[in-house]
């Protein structure tokens, strides 16, 4: 608890690891219930989701596969920050229930891209599971079936999320402060 400094910014405790743990367990129970009888494929988006994915999947009691993918964006030609490539997913998704694990949905453009890419592989379903959502920044129509927290538009770090590469290891979530 308290104030921390990362590079030029100060952050204060916003969501404690206890709260993250209880909300993660709640969401995992929803998934266990909704996919009972299925063998889902979890696709976690690196780097940000590594900690949430580990916490969530420990609470999943379904037989399942787990894959990790990285997203790449073009540099130089476009400044939109939008992603154009999904690296590392070699699984056959035909007829499978796919559950994307993400750290945060901000504009929603990343999740829109990922769901589109996965849908092209003929899965039975594609669902989004995110630790955090900034509803105030959402620019696209997304069906976010599983979510731990809605948060304001302020910049945050911790629990997998970084500020310029730092802060991913923090077990609490911190919000930028003055
Ligand atoms: P979107 O495409 O705008 O939804 O962006 C989602 C990505 O932006 C996330 O996967 C994060 O990597 C990053 N992001 C968005 N908001 C934050 C934040 O508050 N802190 C750290 N990273 C963030
Ligand atoms: Mg991310």
């Amino acid at each position: 608890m308290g104030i921390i400094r990362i590079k030029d910014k100060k952050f204060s405790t916003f969501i404690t690891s206890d709260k993250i743990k209880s909300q993660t367990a709640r969401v995992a129970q929803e998934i266990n219930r909704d996919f009972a009888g299925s063998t889902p494929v979890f696709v976690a988006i690196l780097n940000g989701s590594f900690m949430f994915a580990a916490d969530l999947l420990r609470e999943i009691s379904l037989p399942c596969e787990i894959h990790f993918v990285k997203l790449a964006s073009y540099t130089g030609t476009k400044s939109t920050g939008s992603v154009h490539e999904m690296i590392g997913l070699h699984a056959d998704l035909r007829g499978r229930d796919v559950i994307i694990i993400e750290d945060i949905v901000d504009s929603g453009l990343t999740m829109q891209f990922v769901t589109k890419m996965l849908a092209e592989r003929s899965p039975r379903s594609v669902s989004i599971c995110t630790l955090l959502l900034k509803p105030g920044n959402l620019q696209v129509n997304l069906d976010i079936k599983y979510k731990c927290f809605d948060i304001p538009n302020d910049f945050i770090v911790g629990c997998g999320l970084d500020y310029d590469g730092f802060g991913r290891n923090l077990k609490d979530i911190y919000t930028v402060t003055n």
Side-chain angles (χ1 to χ4, degrees):
M1 294 289 278
I3 306 279
I4 58 161
R5 177 181 284 277
I6 301 177
K7 299 201 165 180
D8 60 324
K9 292 195 198 309
K10 279 198 271 180
F11 295 87
S12 59
T13 312
F14 178 49
I15 307 173
T16 62
S17 61
D18 282 352
K19 282 197 183 128
I20 296 168
K21 197 176 171 190
S22 59
Q23 287 303 301
T24 301
R26 173 191 54 84
V27 165
Q29 294 325 313
E30 290 174 17
I31 293 172
N32 287 333
R33 180 197 63 206
D34 293 352
F35 291 91
S38 175
T39 307
V41 181
F42 288 91
V43 176
I45 313 298
L46 292 173
N47 294 326
S49 78
F50 79 97
M51 203 176 276
F52 176 50
D55 290 343
L56 180 84
L57 290 162
R58 264 190 279 256
E59 304 292 331
I60 294 294
S61 52
L62 305 162
C64 62
E65 283 176 58
I66 303 164
H67 296 274
F68 292 87
V69 301
K70 258 195 117 79
L71 304 176
S73 43
Y74 292 135
T75 49
T77 51
K78 284 183 184 173
S79 57
T80 58
S82 56
V83 288
H84 297 273
E85 204 188 339
M86 198 167 65
I87 303 161
L89 187 58
H90 307 296
D92 182 0
L93 301 182
R94 278 174 297 179
R96 304 294 298 276
D97 291 314
V98 177
I99 302 168
I100 304 164
I101 304 178
E102 176 64 307
D103 53 353
I104 185 166
V105 178
D106 187 17
S107 70
L109 293 169
T110 304
M111 272 307 98
Q112 188 183 48
F113 168 81
V114 172
T115 47
K116 211 173 275 177
M117 293 291 285
L118 294 171
E120 283 172 9
R121 297 180 180 218
S122 311
R124 180 161 78 168
S125 67
V126 178
S127 309
I128 297 170
C129 176
T130 187
L131 173 63
L132 301 155
L133 169 68
K134 290 180 178 171
N137 273 354
L138 202 56
Q139 288 173 28
V140 293
N141 193 19
L142 274 183
D143 179 16
I144 299 172
K145 210 163 158 196
Y146 306 103
K147 165 186 72 179
C148 293
F149 302 96
D150 279 330
I151 61 165
N153 291 347
D154 313 309
F155 191 78
I156 53 145
V157 293
C159 197
L161 290 114
D162 72 303
Y163 168 49
D164 205 12
F166 286 84
R168 292 193 197 278
N169 56 306
L170 300 165
K171 63 179 171 183
D172 300 317
I173 292 171
Y174 293 77
T175 189
V176 73
T177 187
N178 291 310

